[in-house]
DNA sequence: AGAATGATCCTCT
DNA sequence: GAGGATCATTCTC
């Protein structure tokens, strides 16, 4: 295949990933979704980046070649999926924060401990989301739904079992704003999401108004 | 060896 | 909107 778009500069990858398809071929079935929200992390200069103080065993993959998965555990229980960017030696990645389920949504629901979508049975097992789109609207949730764990850390995201198919089509309406859940470098506008999509984890209505006529 | 810190999610008010 | 869960990783002593 042609040179992957994942070799582009980090912020361009973060933009270009919106609309791309994330696919996981699991033993129990094929799961996929459209990426609708991303965040860029780029060291040096970004104190929120895991690698801002140098290489450690955990963030080692970020220093490697682009196009690989950086998967780690947050708060001791949630997996986070990142796409490594930039040439070897430069620590950078794009966090996938939300996807829109396309294939295998019932298996995703099962992975999340939820009843199948469309089934109204109230067996009492598992928790019922207050909104039907609580399936993959968050970095921890989408990893749980997609069956992504530590065993995929460092794997090549251009081939199965976990891979990304680029978006090819008309320009999508993007919103650019600040990142979520961090305490350092909070001012950097390095989060991107698909305007109007229901699976975006957190909207920024101020940014949406300010960017009303802009098209990403 | 001990303490602090999270790129979060869920529940309850 | 606020707080607890829960533990790997990292920093500090």
């Amino acid at each position: 295949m042609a040179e992957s778009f994942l070799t582009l500069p980090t912020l361009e990858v973060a933009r270009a990933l919106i609309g791309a398809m994330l696919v996981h071929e699991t033993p129990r079935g094929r799961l996929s979704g459209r990426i609708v929200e991303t965040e860029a992390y780029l060291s040096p200069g970004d104190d929120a980046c895991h690698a801002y103080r140098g290489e450690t065993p955990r963030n080692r993959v970020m220093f490697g070649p682009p196009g690989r998965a950086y998967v780690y555990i947050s708060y001791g229980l949630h997996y986070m999926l990142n796409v490594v960017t930039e040439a070897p030696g430069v620590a950078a990645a794009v966090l996938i924060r939300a996807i829109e389920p396309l294939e295998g949504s019932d298996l995703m629901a099962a992975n999340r401990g939820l009843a199948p979508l469309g089934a109204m049975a109230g067996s009492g097992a598992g928790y019922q989301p207050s909104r039907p789109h609580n399936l993959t609207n968050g970095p921890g949730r989408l990893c749980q739904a997609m069956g992504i764990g530590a065993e995929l850390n460092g794997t090549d995201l251009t081939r199965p079992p976990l891979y990304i198919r680029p978006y090819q089509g008309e320009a999508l309406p993007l919103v650019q704003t600040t990142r979520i859940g961090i305490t350092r470098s909070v001012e950097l506008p390095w989060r991107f999401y698909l305007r109007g999509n229901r699976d975006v984890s957190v909207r920024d209505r101020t940014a949406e108004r300010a960017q009303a006529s802009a098209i990403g």
Side-chain angles (χ1 to χ4, degrees):
Chain A
M1 67 184 274
E3 185 172 281
S4 172
F5 73 103
L6 300 179
T7 62
L8 292 170
T10 302
L11 287 174
E12 292 184 33
V13 174
R15 285 178 181 273
L17 279 173
I18 303 295
M21 196 151 77
L22 177 67
V23 185
H24 190 195
E25 294 177 358
T26 78
R28 299 187 56 200
R30 175 185 164 101
L31 301 172
S32 70
R34 179 168 70 147
I35 297 170
V36 299
E37 184 179 355
T38 62
E39 284 180 358
Y41 289 87
L42 174 59
S43 187
D46 174 12
D47 288 350
C49 181
H50 278 179
Y52 84 104
R53 273 188 288 201
E55 187 173 343
T56 67
R58 177 173 70 156
N59 65 30
R60 171 176 39 85
V61 176
M62 291 183 81
F63 288 82
R68 293 191 181 171
Y70 170 42
V71 182
Y72 72 93
I73 290 182
S74 176
Y75 289 90
L77 58 161
H78 304 295
Y79 288 105
M80 302 285 135
L81 171 65
N82 300 253
V83 179
V84 175
T85 56
E86 305 289 345
V90 179
V94 175
L95 172 70
I96 310 299
R97 278 196 61 86
I99 65 173
E100 175 185 330
L102 293 177
E103 300 169 279
S105 57
D106 279 348
L107 180 51
M108 290 186 194
N111 286 342
R112 295 262 297 117
L114 310 175
L117 303 184
M120 304 307 282
S123 66
Y127 119 108
Q128 294 295 323
S130 55
R131 297 178 299 165
H133 41 285
N134 265 353
L135 199 54
T136 54
N137 59 335
R141 288 172 177 152
L142 80 87
C143 283
Q144 186 180 25
M146 292 283 288
I148 295 169
E151 71 281 359
L152 291 169
N153 188 39
T155 59
D156 183 351
L157 286 172
T158 63
R159 37 183 34 186
L162 181 67
Y163 59 98
I164 291 170
R165 296 185 55 83
Y167 170 77
Q168 298 175 2
E170 301 175 4
L172 297 170
L174 301 189
V175 178
Q176 177 173 9
T177 181
T178 51
R179 297 173 293 182
I180 303 287
I182 55 174
T183 58
R184 293 181 286 260
S185 297
V186 294
E187 74 287 355
L188 294 175
W190 286 359
R191 181 165 72 103
F192 300 90
Y193 66 86
L194 182 59
R195 180 189 295 267
N197 185 273
R198 296 166 56 81
D199 288 297
V200 170
S201 67
V202 179
R203 293 179 59 182
D204 181 340
R205 287 160 208 267
T206 302
E208 290 181 11
R209 277 193 296 274
Q211 300 166 28
S213 60
I215 298 294

